[in-house]
Amino acid sequence: MNYFPDEVLEHVFDFITSHKDRNSVSLVCKSWYKIERYSRQRVFIGNCYSISPERLIARFPGLKSLTLKGKPHFADFNLVPHDWGGFVYPWIKALAKSRIGLEELRLKRMVVSDESLELLSKSFVNFKSLVLVSCEGFTTDGLAAIAANCRFLRELDLQENEVDDHRGHWLSCFPESCTSLISLNFACLRGEVNLGALERLVSRSPNLKSLRLNRAVPLDTLQKLLMRAPQLVDLGIGSYVHDPFSEVYNKLKIAIQRCKSIRSLSGFLEVAPHCMSAIYPICGNLTFLNLSYAPGLHGNKLMKLIQHCRKLQRLWILDCIGDKGLGVVALTCKELQELRVFPSDPFGAGNAAVTEEGLVLVSAGCPKLNSLLYFCQQMTNAALITVAKNCPNFIRFRLCILDPVKPDPVTNQPLDEGFGAIVQSCKGLKRLSLSGLLTDQVFLYIGMYAEQLEMLSIAFAADSDKGMLYVLNGCKKLRKLEIRDCPFGDAALLEDVGKYETMRSLWMSSCEVTLGGCKSVAEKMPSLNVEIIDECEQMEFNLDDKQKVDKMYLYRTLVGHRKDAPEYVSIL
Amino acid sequence: MEVGVKMGMKGGGDEVGGKEKEKMGYEETELRLGLPGDGEVVRKRDFSHTVDLKLNLISTSPTDDKDKNIVPSHLDPAKPPPAKAQVVGWPPVRSFRKNMLATQKSSASEDSGEKAAFVKVSMDGAPYLRKVDLRMYKTYQQLSDALAKMFSSFTIGNCGSQGLLKDFMNESKLMDLLNGSDYVPTYEDKDGDWMLVGDVPWEYASLYLIISSTTLTALLLLNFQSFFPNQKNSFNDRMMFIESCKRLRIMKGTEAIGLG
């Protein structure tokens, strides 16, 4: 291999695009490491505290696209206090100082300030793509800076961010010369937008393929936008309310029929169910339908819509679809690969409208199903065993029973056997979330069978340390483990501390681990940051090692303790 | 008709007795938590227990007998689950999604106030029906006034001294009067049932529309109950009436008894 010129190797490496593969390539020998690092353009960092921006820049001078993830997953559910960390500003500052020609930045669960966005917009001439998922800390002023300064912007994709909306002028900040937009998603913004500016922007963006509007965009504007952009592939509708007998609605019907390329449909943040027939003409082409933010659409109107979507591969829906509606999905969507059923009323006194029956129907009708997120009222072992038999191809299986310790309502048994069937049958399972009444037994099964498992989420389960030990010993490919409210203590935590270096992170909250146990991990493994998150500041007054730790988050890192932790976080 | 269900949550104090019994059975079959080598038997932590702990409802002592209300709902299939105390982070739904759904729900109830809600009004014996837009009226009184005007051509004379009005504040006297009167307003709700107008508290005003048998005139009675001056509550109640009301019918009082 030594007598291949570098350029040839580089050309070969061009074909290796997955991060894992490129990482492997760089480990072969010094020469390959060098060639790989100079030719690398895309870098994915799953935990922003595992490495520093300076080291990133030093190793990959040709960096063009950076993906960063900040807070741990359980931050989504309010388990991580507000200012825990995950700030993007130091990264942007360091990159701006360097000679990196950043073109794409993708962030998830990070704190993004307007200052960062402004610096970003002014520092990289060729900046093309900004994707923010579940981030917070910025306002529409920051977006205005991006719009105004990024002359070659192609993509501005905002997904489920908490944005302080100072109302619509940011859209007007796109200069007349900006004609390069391919993707614009502002569905998560709550405020008004300048509709005229939006129309003009869409008119001068001939390459626009993806457009997701927020609730403030009414139906008549939608009609105008679709007339100007019939080439759209992905559409997110904001408000869909109008009189079905009006002129505007007729115009909309015509506009929609011209959009023969739409493959992905979402939104309906506000919907008048009797207007859905205008959508039918494009339903037959849809591969992705996301109605999970459309509580106004249910019952017969919803089922009728779904009956038109024969090519659907991914469906995100609310549980008001009911078991019956899932039956319709099973009959219609034979190509279905991914199903997500969200709760329409997570805290209401009412019950979730789907049970194990809906899931069984879908599993029987949709053999290609490989990815599931299912919030339901109840689940039975029999149903899970049937699902496992029908769909052995699951890569992601996330089940959330609204009462998290509910047993099988028919047999009153724990759900160990059901989940056991899933892990045994689905040999490619990479991600699993458990709920319902569960004993140590289910973890025995997981340790035995879930050989490809990379991420496991556990809540209110198990009887003893054995549960956690089965998992740590058995799942060789485990990368992320997150546990809450389980009786796992120091014995489990300390059994094999070397394991944590092979993982990205471990989260344990409301378990039985003690301060002493966590200190022990930190002592033995200097390559880990062991963070104790103590909002009540109990630790300050009581440094007893036997004290139980409320929240512990540990992760491997190359750069030691972070300097930006708030007061209530102690890094051991 | 969902009125009855909306008021308050089901379950409550009367379940304690049943729960005691259930609890004993549960204790016998429950799995015990024990660390290896640990002689002490510790009660398995279950969801409800955790909930109550987190809310500081019970002490952390494992053998505390006072925790009567921690039997998980799944053991009591006959009774509906009590309103769940909220444990942080469960169910695992992103805050963004929760907030979005909450916003959509509250504005949905506001939105329904913006569209016209026309319902047909029929009066028994009248040769034709009328239509009224319920959005136009803020109280039953206004509605009644409008109805009275609409059907005035079918009524004769006038009734109603102040003295008579005071009597109507008393519900039993009202029932007596209803027995004697010919016409009361009813409405058909979404389920197709004819209901007496005024069952749904509308800004907590109870309206009794009476047309006496001798005079066939609408006589208005307004009985404000100001227990809940909260503007928001009354808005929702009005919305509830408007949303569920499909049609109005002024019918004979004698037919109306038994509807309420």
Side-chain angles (χ1 to χ4, degrees):
Chain A
M1 279 300 177
N2 288 342
Y3 29 89
F4 267 122
D6 287 0
E7 305 83 61
V8 175
L9 275 175
E10 209 178 295
H11 183 64
V12 171
F13 291 171
D14 272 350
F15 294 98
I16 302 171
T17 48
S18 105
H19 294 293
K20 274 191 190 150
D21 290 342
R22 289 204 73 117
N23 291 345
S24 307
V25 156
S26 66
L27 293 173
V28 167
C29 62
K30 275 196 186 146
S31 152
W32 280 37
Y33 177 88
K34 193 182 99 193
I35 298 167
E36 197 282 321
R37 71 175 260 255
Y38 279 112
S39 62
R40 178 95 80 132
Q41 293 186 343
R42 313 182 66 86
V43 174
F44 169 87
I45 296 176
N47 175 4
C48 65
Y49 291 119
S50 61
I51 190 78
S52 70
E54 289 75 24
R55 285 180 65 161
L56 171 75
I57 293 163
R59 181 168 169 193
F60 300 114
L63 182 67
K64 290 218 167 63
S65 161
L66 177 62
T67 302
L68 279 172
K69 290 190 181 181
K71 301 185 197 179
H73 177 232
F74 274 179
D76 278 349
F77 318 130
N78 293 336
L79 287 176
V80 176
H82 179 66
D83 47 353
W84 169 87
F87 307 104
V88 78
Y89 185 75
W91 291 84
I92 298 180
K93 187 161 155 214
L95 286 162
K97 259 198 228 158
S98 75
R99 278 188 277 156
I100 300 265
L102 193 69
E103 293 184 11
E104 179 177 280
L105 187 62
R106 308 165 73 95
L107 305 175
K108 187 168 185 180
R109 276 192 290 270
M110 293 199 73
V111 178
V112 181
S113 61
D114 282 345
E115 205 188 348
S116 332
L117 291 176
E118 195 167 334
L119 182 59
L120 176 70
S121 72
K122 290 182 175 159
S123 309
F124 307 103
V125 170
N126 280 325
F127 192 75
K128 295 193 172 71
S129 167
L130 180 63
V131 180
L132 303 177
V133 180
S134 291
C135 295
E136 53 168 357
F138 61 103
T139 76
T140 46
D141 293 346
L143 298 178
I146 297 285
N149 302 326
C150 300
R151 288 170 38 207
F152 304 112
L153 194 68
R154 289 193 195 159
E155 180 175 25
L156 179 59
D157 185 359
L158 308 170
Q159 298 176 32
E160 299 193 334
N161 302 289
E162 296 287 356
V163 185
D164 198 357
D165 199 326
H166 296 165
R167 281 181 283 113
H169 89 287
W170 67 275
L171 260 179
S172 322
C173 292
F174 282 102
E176 288 301 312
S177 55
C178 175
T179 58
S180 47
L181 270 183
I182 298 179
S183 165
L184 178 63
N185 172 8
F186 59 93
C188 65
L189 296 185
R190 297 187 205 278
E192 302 297 314
V193 284
N194 184 329
L195 299 176
L198 176 60
E199 286 175 44
R200 288 190 296 278
L201 179 62
V202 170
S203 297
R204 64 177 187 274
S205 303
N207 298 321
L208 195 67
K209 291 282 188 296
S210 169
L211 179 64
R212 296 195 186 187
L213 310 167
N214 77 346
R215 203 163 160 201
V217 181
L219 195 129
D220 52 348
T221 306
L222 172 67
Q223 177 264 320
K224 289 183 203 156
L225 295 172
L226 291 180
M227 288 302 287
R228 286 171 169 77
Q231 76 282 2
L232 282 179
V233 172
D234 169 22
L235 174 64
I237 292 180
S239 172
Y240 193 72
V241 175
H242 220 282
D243 181 350
F245 300 112
S246 67
E247 181 61 27
V248 171
Y249 186 70
N250 280 332
K251 284 193 196 163
L252 177 71
K253 276 194 201 170
I254 298 166
I256 290 182
Q257 278 170 353
R258 291 175 69 222
C259 298
K260 300 197 189 302
S261 305
I262 294 183
R263 298 287 173 271
S264 163
L265 188 60
S266 61
F268 296 95
L269 306 175
E270 195 176 56
V271 56
H274 45 267
C275 294
M276 295 312 288
S277 55
I279 304 288
Y280 296 163
I282 55 168
C283 287
N285 292 328
L286 291 180
T287 56
F288 177 38
L289 179 60
N290 180 357
L291 297 175
S292 65
Y293 284 109
L297 197 55
H298 47 262
N300 286 332
K301 299 285 182 194
L302 174 58
M303 293 205 228
K304 248 187 159 175
L305 182 71
I306 291 185
Q307 278 170 327
H308 284 85
C309 304
R310 311 202 76 88
K311 288 199 191 151
L312 221 51
Q313 293 172 14
R314 295 165 62 211
L315 176 62
W316 294 17
I317 197 96
L318 288 171
D319 62 4
C320 45
I321 190 174
D323 287 332
K324 266 208 197 120
L326 289 177
V328 173
V329 172
L331 286 172
T332 312
C333 310
K334 296 301 180 188
E335 302 297 313
L336 197 69
Q337 295 173 29
E338 176 178 318
L339 175 67
R340 297 195 191 190
V341 181
F342 293 94
S344 50
D345 190 14
F347 303 112
N351 303 320
V354 296
T355 68
E356 77 278 7
E357 289 179 19
L359 183 59
V360 169
L361 288 171
V362 175
S363 74
C366 310
K368 294 188 184 177
L369 198 64
N370 62 35
S371 175
L372 181 76
L373 173 61
Y374 198 72
F375 285 81
C376 59
Q377 176 65 18
Q378 61 185 44
M379 185 53 57
T380 64
N381 282 311
L384 284 173
I385 291 168
T386 305
V387 169
K389 236 184 282 181
N390 291 338
C391 298
N393 298 318
F394 275 114
I395 300 174
R396 271 170 246 111
F397 192 88
R398 295 155 70 188
L399 190 73
C400 178
I401 304 170
L402 289 181
D403 177 351
V405 289
K406 200 175 163 97
D408 181 327
V410 173
T411 64
N412 232 28
Q413 293 297 304
L415 291 177
D416 300 333
E417 298 306 311
F419 279 106
I422 294 286
V423 292
Q424 196 174 357
S425 164
C426 305
K427 308 214 186 298
L429 193 68
K430 288 192 181 170
R431 183 169 179 182
L432 178 64
S433 299
L434 307 167
S435 63
L437 188 66
L438 296 163
T439 71
D440 287 342
Q441 185 71 9
V442 70
F443 299 104
L444 174 67
Y445 292 140
I446 292 173
M448 264 169 66
Y449 296 113
E451 291 173 10
Q452 303 299 319
L453 196 66
E454 295 180 8
M455 181 169 177
L456 180 62
S457 309
I458 313 172
F460 303 101
D463 309 314
S464 73
D465 284 329
K466 280 198 261 179
M468 186 166 165
L469 288 171
Y470 290 141
V471 171
L472 289 175
N473 290 333
C475 300
K476 301 293 177 208
K477 297 208 175 169
L478 195 65
R479 286 182 19 241
K480 285 179 279 180
L481 181 57
E482 46 185 27
I483 305 170
R484 64 164 293 181
D485 293 273
C486 295
F488 301 142
D490 293 340
L493 181 68
L494 294 170
E495 167 89 358
D496 177 12
V497 291
K499 170 90 177 170
Y500 305 131
E501 220 176 23
T502 69
M503 292 166 54
R504 184 188 297 173
S505 64
L506 168 67
W507 168 282
M508 293 180 75
S509 60
S510 304
C511 296
E512 306 286 321
V513 294
T514 68
L515 182 58
C518 297
K519 277 186 186 170
S520 196
V521 177
E523 259 171 50
K524 294 183 185 164
M525 301 293 297
S527 59
L528 302 176
N529 275 355
V530 181
E531 295 193 8
I532 308 295
I533 299 167
D534 178 25
E535 293 164 90
C536 314
E537 296 186 38
Q538 287 165 346
M539 297 276 144
E540 268 194 46
F541 302 108
N542 182 3
L543 292 171
D544 178 8
D545 279 2
K546 295 209 200 73
Q547 170 100 3
K548 295 230 176 91
V549 163
D550 189 35
K551 292 174 183 166
M552 179 205 72
Y553 180 52
L554 65 80
Y555 51 89
R556 66 182 176 192
T557 177
L558 293 174
V559 289
H561 292 189
R562 61 183 174 114
K563 309 278 185 299
D564 62 359
E567 273 185 25
Y568 55 78
V569 171
S570 343
I571 307 180
L572 302 176
Chain B
M1 191 42 187
E2 284 97 47
V3 180
V5 174
K6 195 189 172 163
M7 306 303 172
M9 308 294 278
K10 286 185 188 161
D14 59 314
E15 294 185 5
V16 172
K19 280 177 175 172
E20 286 261 50
K21 205 171 80 169
E22 297 281 40
K23 182 192 164 200
M24 284 180 4
Y26 177 67
E27 265 184 359
E28 282 178 73
T29 56
E30 76 180 358
L31 301 164
R32 299 276 171 181
L33 172 74
L35 291 174
D38 189 348
E40 185 188 17
V41 170
V42 180
R43 197 178 139 82
K44 174 184 173 184
R45 185 190 303 206
D46 63 51
F47 176 59
S48 305
H49 189 91
T50 307
V51 167
D52 293 333
L53 269 177
K54 285 185 152 101
L55 298 177
N56 290 317
L57 292 178
I58 53 175
S59 73
T60 48
S61 155
T63 53
D64 193 1
D65 263 330
K66 286 205 213 112
D67 38 353
K68 293 180 179 183
N69 56 340
I70 61 163
V71 174
S73 58
H74 60 262
L75 291 176
D76 200 354
K79 300 200 169 84
K84 293 256 183 294
Q86 291 178 26
V87 173
V88 173
W90 196 269
V93 176
R94 270 189 191 160
S95 327
F96 177 88
R97 179 173 288 279
K98 278 191 284 193
N99 294 338
M100 179 72 116
L101 283 173
T103 313
Q104 286 169 318
K105 265 198 194 147
S106 62
S107 51
S109 51
E110 280 163 30
D111 277 352
S112 53
E114 282 165 46
K115 305 187 192 83
F118 281 100
V119 294
K120 291 186 200 165
V121 184
S122 63
M123 178 164 153
D124 287 0
Y128 51 80
L129 285 69
R130 299 290 304 268
K131 265 205 169 178
V132 286
D133 178 5
L134 293 181
R135 306 283 161 202
M136 305 287 290
Y137 309 105
K138 296 260 183 289
T139 65
Y140 285 126
Q141 178 171 13
Q142 288 178 9
L143 172 61
S144 225
D145 283 338
L147 290 178
K149 278 201 194 103
M150 261 185 209
F151 290 94
S152 59
S153 50
F154 304 115
T155 67
I156 326 158
N158 206 319
C159 168
S161 64
Q162 284 299 96
L164 218 55
L165 263 174
K166 279 197 193 134
D167 281 346
F168 296 158
M169 300 295 260
N170 183 330
E171 196 172 315
S172 59
K173 283 210 172 174
L174 184 62
M175 292 312 287
D176 292 341
L177 209 70
L178 278 176
N179 281 326
S181 70
D182 277 348
Y183 293 101
V184 288
T186 61
Y187 67 90
E188 180 182 353
D189 68 6
K190 283 191 176 146
D191 304 313
D193 299 320
W194 291 99
M195 308 291 293
L196 197 66
V197 168
D199 282 344
V200 176
W202 191 349
E203 291 177 346
Y204 299 93
S206 307
L207 170 73
Y208 301 95
L209 183 64
I210 301 153
I211 304 175
S212 82
S213 56
T214 53
T215 62
L216 298 172
T217 302
L219 182 71
L220 223 67
L221 175 70
L222 225 53
N223 179 16
F224 283 102
Q225 296 162 29
S226 50
F227 303 134
F228 303 101
N230 184 339
Q231 193 60 27
K232 197 170 164 213
N233 274 341
S234 50
F235 178 85
N236 284 338
D237 292 327
R238 177 158 74 94
M239 286 305 116
M240 191 162 56
F241 174 67
I242 290 171
E243 279 173 332
S244 57
C245 176
K246 264 167 59 182
R247 185 173 168 139
L248 286 166
R249 174 180 165 198
I250 303 173
M251 62 194 285
K252 277 185 185 270
T254 46
E255 284 177 48
I257 300 298
L259 276 180

